[in-house]
Each structure stands twice: as C-alpha cells, then as structure tokens.
Amino acid sequence: MIISTGTASGKSLAYLTPAVASCLDGGTILYLTPTKALAADQLRGLRELRITQLRAACFDGDTPFEERTWVRQHANYVLTNPDMLHRSILPRHAQWSSFFRRLRMVVIDECHGYRGVFGSHVAQILRRLRRVCARYGSRPTFLLASATASEPGAFGMRLTGLEMDEVTVDASPKGSTTIALWEPPLTELRGEGGAPVRRTATAEAADLLADLVLADVRTLAFVRSRRGAETVALTARAKLADVAFSLSTRHPRPSTPRRPNPTPPESDPTLNHQPGTAEPADTTQPGLLETDLTTQPGLLETDLTTHHRPPARATPPEADPALSHQPGTAEPTGPATPEPSRTTSGLSGTTPAVSTSKHEGPATDPASESSLRWALPDAPAQPDWTDLPNKIAAYRAGYLAEDRRILEKALRSGTIMGLATTNALELGVDVSGLDAVLIAGWPGTRASLWQQAGRAGRDGQDALAVLIARDDPLDTYLVHHPQALFGQPVEAIVLDPDNPYVLGPHLCAAAAEIPLTDDDLPIFGTTTSTVLDDLVSQGLLRRRPAGWFWTKRERATDLADIRGGGGAPIQVVESSTGRLLGSVDEPSAHTTVHTGAVYLHQGETFLVELLDLEAGVALVSSATPDFTTFARDITDISILATQRSHPLGPGTLHFGEVEVTRQVVSYLKRRLQSGEMLGDEPLDLPPRTLRTRAVWWTLPASAVAPLAEAGIDLGGAAHAAEHASIGLLPLFATCDRWDIGGVSTELHADTGLLTVFVYDGHEGGAGFAERGYARAAEWLTATREAITSCECERGCPSCIQSPKCGNGNEPLDKRGAVRLLNTLLSPQ
C-alpha cells in the first residue's frame, strides 16, 4: 500500500495505527527513512504515546554500540535507514532472527526520496529484505508514504517489486501558502566573456532570513550545500549583530523606571519596538535594514521585495501589517511599490487577491493592551538586543546527534526563530509553528519544492514560501514561467533497478547473506540471469549445484556505494594528522577531490593538497578559503547502439547506449558571496570511460544551411543549446544537472550531422536521458524559452554558460541557439 497525500495530511497516523496495533499483538515493525532527523522525530512521537508494550528504538549511525544489542534483542519498533539495512542488519540477519520472524510491517516513509541511482540501490535492498524475511517465515506488509509521488502505485511497485494499492484522496484541512518567486539582481561584476553575474542566492537568503527574524517570523531557510547553510546562518547572524549594536546604541537601558508616556505607541515608533520585530527605520541611518516585508496586491497576500528606502520615519511595527503580524490577529493588507530590478511572481492557488486571517481568534485591541502596558509606571526597560544574533542557527548532517535534537527542539519552542539548513529537514520532521520558508535555489524537483514549502504552515495556518533563483538556466526559467510550477503534477520518480551496475553488487551481497537459488531470481528482475553469469566470469560468485555462493573474504556489501556511483572509493586523509575523514567514490573523485579542490567534511573546510589515484587517497589540509571550486572537463562520445528513434521537426531524436570519455582538465574558482570568478587552474588527470545511456538529436545539412548563411556560428549555437538543455532536464526528470552531462558538435563522426547529446552521468544509466527522450518536445521548448527570457545580451550563467564546461564556455552563440532550437521544433 502507498499513501500519497499532501504534507500534514495524517499519513503518519495512517501507518502508526496498524503498526502500534501489530506491536501490541506481539509483532515487530521496521521503519525506513532517508534521513536520521526524520527517524529521531518519529521516535519522539512514539515515546510521547507512553505505551509500555511499545519498545521503539533508532538503529542508525548515531546509535551507541552498547545499545545496539538491546535493540536487536528487545525492540519491536525499529527505526533505521537504507544504509544501515544494507551494511549492518541484512548481513547480520541471524542476529536479528527473532525480529524477522515476527515482522508484520515495513514502513517506508518519504519514499519519493528514493530516486535515480540511490533509489535503484534501495529497490534492490528491499528485494534482499523480502528474501531474508522469507527465510524466517514472515511476509510483512509494505506500507509506503509520500506527500509528492507521481503515479504512486507504479512507483511503489517498481521500488518494492510488489503489487501496490494506492491512496491518493486528501481531505485534510489546510491553510493557504503564498509562493514568491525571487530573482536576485544583476551586479556590476563580470564573469567569463564579460557576462553579467547575479547576486548569489545564498547572499539573498541571508538578508531575507535576518529580516524575517527581525519581523518575528519563524523561518526555515533551505540551502543546497552544507557550507551554504553555514554561510547563510553566519551572514544572517552578522547582520543581526549589526542591527543589535545599532539598536542598543540608540535605545540604551534607562537607569530609572519608565514614566507614563502620554504618546500612544502607534504614533511613536521609537518607543513601540518590541523584541523579535523589525526596528523602524531611523532618519539618521538610512539603509540599516535592506530588506522589508511588504504586502503587494500583485502577490495576492504577501510578497518580499528588497529595496533601499529614502531616509524617512517608518511606520511602527503595530501599524505596519507586514512587520507586526502576531498569532491571533487578522492580517491587514496594504499596497507597496516593488523595486523594478527584481523579478517576483506570486501564486496562491485559487486564493482571491484579498487578505485572509492567518490565525483563528479575536483581533488584539491596542487600546486595551499595548497602550495600557506603556502607561504603567513599572513598565520594563528597553530589551537587551545583544541576544538577537542567537535567534539564528545552522542545521545540517554532520552535527552530533544531540546537537541536532537540541536545534530541532529550539526551533519548535521558538527559542530559535531562523534556521539555515540543508535538505536534512525537508522530509517529514514536525517543526510546527513555522511561518515562512526560504528556498535558496531550485531544489531539483517540484516534489522537493512542495516538500520544503510544506514545512511552513503545518499547524494549519497560512504560510509564505520564497524560491530564490540561482544564476542557473532552470532557476531563471522558473521565475519567468511560474506556470511550469503551479497546477503541474510532480515529476514521475525515475529509478532503474535493472541497471547491471546496481544489480550486480546487490546479487553479491544477497549471495553472501544466503546463497542464491533459481527460485530467488524472479525477485531481483528479468536481467538477473545475465548479470549472474557476468559475476561468475569475474570470479565474484561461484556456481554450484545448490546455487550461487560468495567467494571472497571481503564484505560483499562494500561493492555497492548506495549513495555514490560505485567503484573503489578514494580515502580522504588529513595530511597533518593522518586522520581518515571519509571516502569519495572513484567516479566522483576527479571532480570533488582533485588537487586544489575545496572539500567539506562535517562543517570543516579543507583544501585538497594531492589526489593520488594509484594509492586511492586524497590528502587534504584544514583551511578557510573564501571561494568554491568547480571541476571542468572535456568529453568525447561515441554511439554504441541506438535503441529508439523518431522524427523531431526536420531532424531526428534518438535514445541509446553510448561510451563517454571524460577528462577533467581544470577547475574554476569563484568567490562564495559574490560569485566573482577568481581564476581557472589547470589539472593533469587521466581520462575516464563511462558506458551509459544518452538522448541525442540531429539536424540534416539542409536544415542548418540557412542558419550558416545567416552568419550563425553553428558550433557555438549547438554548444549553447546543449548547456541550456542540461540545465532544464531536471524539470522533466528527477535529477540534478550534476547527474547528467552533454556533448555537442557541428559534425559528429558517428552521425555525420550536427548533433547534441545529453547523457546519464552514471554507469549503465539512471533513467534520466530516457525521460528526456520521452518528453523531448516539452523539454526542448522550455530550453528555448529559458534562453529567450534571460535579460542578458550575449549569454550568462543564467541561460547558456555552464560552470563545468571544459572549453571555458567558448564558443557560445545565444542568438544562434534560439534559431537552432526554432528550426528543430518547427512543425513539418
């Protein structure tokens, strides 16, 4: 069974009820989640039930070793993740025999997180789990839950290998969410080819987070990277520290009790400021607060605009609806003028363009509360502003478990008003009471967007979510084409369990757990026999009359890096101490731990001193650089087999197997806050060969000849179209632009025509290119729109430039790319 309904719709209750009933009846429950934070949140909820027969416990990397034996022997509700199931529970299934014999239900929460190569690995882990359960005579029910799964029944069946019923009707009450689409302004900085550079999404997020916290708006800011989350929190805290210093200077604590003030607070903003609200602007310090919350008719209810106001005495918080909204009061409206240099769009479903009450309850009467309070002789002194920066913190994976729990509790209680986080808090964690969510950069899918936006308003109140665009083709497209977000279904979840590079390691792990027999083959898919033959020929498995056996002394589970790309890992070692920091899968090592790369580990920043591929080690040293790095590579591609083709305009669209030869040749250094390019450093790394799947399109000479005659640089036009199409594919396939690559050429050796390829960046393919083939017309139309809607003249990172281009983004022809795509998409 899969339950696919909206956020805060009661999915947890739907599986908790039968799960707890099974525990009371003597059964056991296995709960799987993609993140530790969600498991800890679920455990807290289970313990609050105070049912003595319910023995719930987490079993993950944070579980102390002395507690793990108790969990195996006594827990009847075990919360864990796919990693622990893969590396610890299944290989040691004999130690869990009592648990598996009584297993009644497997709960797979937030199952939409299992997509791409990671999802393919999880699908095979679940098949191994089913096989171990059968060994101990149990047939548990699999219950999946997701707020954002497209075609949930088909996805659930592909993930588990079982027939799947689906529940999709959602009648739960919800408040409205206003979505603001926010495009940072262009700066005076110039990048490659003189292209303008936008202000970074993280810098914008820091500004907005600080101002929302000042306005007493409890806010969660989602940032794509660990370092980005830390940067946003530090920058926002610094801004609040500046504000706190200014406020404490202008409002020193009086030495005597305050006398009755005949002036009502509504007319005197300097006396009326309360803790947690934004300070009114002061005539002596214009520009103190760069960002303001205003209400704008064009954004239905709430909009965020950044502008520098002229020196003027501001409306006090109680009279400014955007700054003073408190629980229990109706939200007023008021017009405001946005800054023309920013692009914002707002949609709120069918909500009319009028004010709605955000909280139930009577409106506060200022005359009965605020004025009376300020008339009291014993009114308290002005608040101490020095604690203001402590209202903001960062949250991400890599923190100690107890630190993460403290932060979660502080956010729920309101001790912390702003939290900058990675997607570690995206899935299901109950952080009720949030008013706003900031999303710094497109999170990858519409599913993730609605998951993150759904963190606000979970108590049923109205909420605000702001998507801040990065300097990226997809982000640019979305802020100019909101129809691509609203009223659209979430993406179909792409995974390919039959990928031989995924299936092979899990067959080895399954054989090490329990020798494989012919009866097991249907569990793992139709390609199992072929893959088993390959494993036998490689000497990894041995075929005997009784079945297939694991032959090595090493752990079979080490063959599968379920969150990476496979291959022998590269060990990351701190050169000064010899401390092992972690590992990086070999396919990613060339781009993530090359010499000179910035490497992040549990909040610490390191610079890679040396990458030794033969020794399988990367030596790093602690550092605090103010830049980030992007690897750049050159790529050659050859066609191995064409599986499908069909006409597209005057050209032809193809899908098939390809061999890609990639070589990282340099890395780009960019300043963190501004995005300014600091240099392009050469590298000497060997080429790597990748057999994968690709989608490509060709145009005949008769179609491109008119373009050449018009002076279009065909190579530059194809190159620009390739970059933009890579940037837009994540809108149609659940992937990141770093999961895919591309090659373009005016004349390809295998086709003899102008050809543009986009390929999966994982061995054997991950299903992304196949999804692009299926939705090529929509995908390429959106690509063209992204290029034309960008306001730059010759091309920039928001449309046709790529940070990982090995050719230094040369040649690129923005106008030619539009003409080329017009030709390809023209009806025939």
Side-chain angles (χ1 to χ4, degrees):
M1 171 72 70
I2 181 169
I3 304 173
S4 181
T5 55
T7 54
S9 60
K11 294 185 296 297
S12 297
L13 184 62
Y15 62 70
L16 274 176
T17 303
V20 172
S22 296
C23 291
L24 298 179
D25 196 31
T28 59
I29 302 297
L30 183 66
Y31 173 92
L32 290 177
T33 170
T35 65
K36 294 177 184 178
L38 181 52
D41 186 70
Q42 287 288 316
L43 180 62
R44 179 181 58 82
L46 289 167
R47 288 176 174 170
E48 288 176 353
L49 296 176
R50 301 185 182 278
I51 301 174
T52 55
Q53 300 96 318
L54 183 64
R55 299 182 300 277
C58 281
F59 190 84
D60 55 32
D62 292 338
T63 306
F65 282 95
E66 58 271 18
E67 293 182 15
R68 297 188 181 190
T69 301
W70 184 92
V71 175
R72 287 195 297 267
Q73 295 177 353
H74 302 290
N76 57 7
Y77 197 118
V78 174
L79 304 99
T80 187
N81 51 58
D83 308 77
M84 290 297 287
L85 186 61
H86 165 63
R87 292 190 171 274
S88 180
I89 297 176
L90 292 179
R92 298 181 177 90
H93 58 84
Q95 299 176 6
W96 292 81
S97 57
S98 176
F99 180 86
F100 281 125
R101 285 192 182 96
R102 297 179 291 127
L103 187 59
R104 302 282 183 83
M105 182 183 295
V106 178
V107 178
I108 306 175
D109 204 0
E110 304 293 355
C111 60
H112 61 272
Y114 304 123
R115 59 179 185 258
V117 174
F118 176 51
S120 302
H121 280 291
V122 173
Q124 293 298 344
I125 293 170
L126 294 178
R127 285 155 175 78
R128 287 164 50 200
L129 172 62
R130 289 170 48 205
R131 184 167 168 265
V132 167
C133 290
R135 169 68 177 265
Y136 293 100
S138 64
R139 294 188 59 191
T141 298
F142 282 74
L143 200 156
L144 286 63
S146 171
T148 48
S150 178
E151 302 173 356
F155 162 66
M157 186 167 62
R158 195 157 181 78
L159 183 65
T160 63
L162 297 168
E163 292 292 330
M164 194 70 49
D165 287 328
E166 60 182 40
V167 174
T168 57
V169 177
D170 183 357
S172 59
K174 289 181 174 63
S176 65
T177 299
T178 298
I179 309 292
L181 304 181
W182 183 286
E183 184 175 48
L186 292 170
T187 67
E188 296 180 356
L189 298 173
R190 290 293 180 265
E192 292 179 299
V197 176
R198 292 192 183 277
R199 193 161 186 255
T200 64
T202 52
E204 294 284 282
D207 283 355
L208 292 175
L209 181 61
D211 289 299
L212 285 166
V213 169
L214 278 171
D216 204 24
V217 177
R218 198 174 303 178
T219 305
L220 202 59
F222 285 103
V223 190
R224 290 174 61 91
S225 69
R226 294 180 179 185
R227 173 154 191 170
E230 296 279 7
T231 301
V232 167
L234 287 172
T235 305
R237 286 167 63 94
K239 290 180 180 296
L240 291 187
D242 291 342
V243 173
F245 176 77
S246 175
L247 294 176
S248 60
T249 302
R250 288 186 288 151
H251 300 287
R253 286 176 174 269
S255 57
T256 58
R258 192 186 304 269
R259 296 296 180 187
N261 191 332
T263 306
E266 289 78 13
S267 62
D268 189 349
T270 61
L271 295 177
N272 196 26
H273 188 65
Q274 299 299 320
T277 62
E279 173 70 5
D282 189 272
T283 56
T284 61
Q285 294 195 22
L288 174 64
L289 298 180
E290 295 183 355
T291 309
D292 188 15
L293 274 169
T294 62
T295 303
Q296 179 184 346
L299 292 186
L300 300 183
E301 290 185 320
T302 309
D303 182 27
L304 292 170
T305 57
T306 300
H307 55 283
H308 295 278
R309 290 174 290 181
R313 198 167 186 81
T315 307
E318 282 77 357
D320 187 342
L323 295 177
S324 65
H325 183 64
Q326 301 294 328
T329 62
E331 184 188 8
T333 59
T337 304
E339 183 193 18
S341 65
R342 308 234 174 190
T343 299
T344 55
S345 301
L347 292 173
S348 184
T350 57
T351 306
V354 295
S355 172
T356 61
S357 176
K358 289 201 173 185
H359 302 275
E360 296 296 329
T364 302
D365 182 3
S368 63
E369 289 190 9
S370 183
S371 299
L372 180 61
R373 182 177 68 249
W374 283 89
L376 294 176
D378 297 327
Q382 200 68 19
D384 182 8
W385 297 104
T386 57
D387 193 51
L388 192 57
N390 296 328
K391 293 285 186 180
I392 291 178
Y395 180 104
R396 55 167 181 74
Y399 283 1
L400 295 176
E402 54 268 28
D403 292 339
R404 295 199 299 269
R405 303 297 90 82
I406 290 171
L407 287 170
E408 293 162 17
K409 183 178 180 180
L411 184 64
R412 283 192 295 267
S413 66
T415 306
I416 289 176
M417 294 297 296
L419 203 60
T421 178
T422 59
N423 61 0
L425 283 180
E426 173 184 322
L427 301 175
V429 178
D430 184 8
V431 282
S432 301
L434 291 180
D435 302 307
V437 166
L438 303 175
I439 304 170
W442 172 244
T445 63
R446 281 187 290 266
S448 290
L449 175 70
W450 302 130
Q451 281 289 144
Q452 294 181 6
R455 295 303 93 192
R458 288 179 66 88
D459 275 340
Q461 77 269 27
D462 293 356
L464 171 68
V466 185
L467 173 62
I468 307 169
R470 291 179 301 155
D471 214 358
D472 179 88
L474 180 52
D475 292 43
T476 302
Y477 175 80
L478 291 173
V479 295
H480 290 278
H481 299 82
Q483 67 273 15
L485 291 177
F486 303 100
Q488 299 290 330
V490 297
E491 303 86 351
I493 302 173
V494 178
L495 68 156
D496 184 13
D498 297 328
N499 181 337
Y501 297 94
V502 171
L503 176 58
H506 288 286
L507 289 176
C508 291
E513 291 155 7
I514 306 169
L516 286 165
T517 66
D518 289 325
D519 294 338
D520 296 325
L521 303 192
I523 295 177
F524 293 98
T526 56
T527 62
T528 305
S529 296
T530 303
V531 176
L532 280 174
D533 291 340
D534 291 339
L535 295 173
V536 171
S537 65
Q538 296 173 34
L540 295 173
L541 295 181
R542 181 174 298 166
R543 177 70 189 271
R544 292 175 179 170
W548 290 264
F549 292 77
W550 174 246
T551 62
K552 305 291 185 181
R553 297 176 61 89
E554 297 83 3
R555 288 165 47 94
T557 52
D558 291 340
L559 294 176
D561 180 7
I562 70 172
R563 294 183 186 264
I570 301 295
Q571 305 298 322
V572 182
V573 178
E574 188 173 19
S575 59
S576 59
T577 64
R579 177 170 59 122
L580 178 63
L581 300 179
S583 61
V584 178
D585 59 279
E586 196 275 336
S588 302
H590 291 231
T591 56
T592 57
V593 289
H594 58 77
T595 301
V598 175
Y599 177 75
L600 298 176
H601 175 74
Q602 295 190 356
E604 296 182 70
T605 307
F606 299 87
L607 277 178
V608 179
E609 298 176 352
L610 175 68
L611 171 60
D612 189 336
L613 294 172
E614 292 185 2
V617 65
L619 298 177
V620 303
S621 58
S622 180
T624 55
D626 64 345
F627 60 86
T628 187
T629 54
F630 299 91
R632 315 180 76 158
D633 57 50
I634 55 175
T635 308
D636 290 323
I637 192 167
S638 58
I639 299 170
L640 301 179
T642 302
Q643 297 177 349
R644 276 170 272 169
S645 299
H646 68 75
L648 182 63
T652 307
L653 186 74
H654 306 270
F655 172 75
E657 296 182 12
V658 296
E659 184 174 83
V660 180
T661 302
R662 298 174 57 198
Q663 183 175 15
V664 174
V665 294
S666 66
Y667 65 95
L668 190 68
K669 296 166 64 175
R670 280 187 175 172
R671 197 174 300 281
L672 275 173
Q673 283 295 316
S674 66
E676 178 187 3
M677 190 176 72
L678 301 178
D680 192 0
E681 304 292 334
L683 290 171
D684 183 18
L685 288 169
R688 295 191 70 257
T689 300
L690 174 73
R691 291 173 67 97
T692 185
R693 296 179 181 181
V695 55
W696 65 95
W697 51 267
T698 60
L699 278 174
S702 58
V704 298
L707 301 179
E709 293 171 359
I712 298 296
D713 177 2
L714 295 178
H719 194 195
E722 171 220 325
H723 282 182
S725 61
I726 289 172
L728 267 291
L729 184 56
L731 187 61
F732 302 92
T734 48
C735 66
D736 188 271
R737 72 177 295 165
W738 300 94
D739 290 326
I740 51 181
V743 177
S744 59
T745 176
E746 187 176 346
L747 188 66
H748 191 265
D750 293 338
T751 64
L753 303 170
L754 183 147
T755 310
V756 174
F757 294 86
V758 175
Y759 62 86
D760 290 347
H762 301 275
E763 283 284 350
F768 307 137
E770 187 172 12
R771 191 71 182 170
Y773 177 84
R775 303 187 64 182
E778 300 169 78
W779 167 37
L780 295 173
T781 300
T783 300
R784 178 182 61 188
E785 293 300 318
I787 300 173
T788 56
S789 63
C790 185
E791 58 189 291
C792 71
E793 294 183 6
R794 296 184 300 166
C796 69
S798 292
C799 55
I800 62 173
Q801 288 189 351
S802 170
K804 57 179 184 175
C805 177
N807 294 319
N809 284 302
E810 290 291 344
L812 290 176
D813 186 339
K814 179 178 178 178
R815 183 174 63 92
V818 174
R819 292 280 300 273
L820 190 65
L821 290 169
N822 283 339
T823 300
L824 179 67
L825 297 170
S826 62
Q828 296 297 303

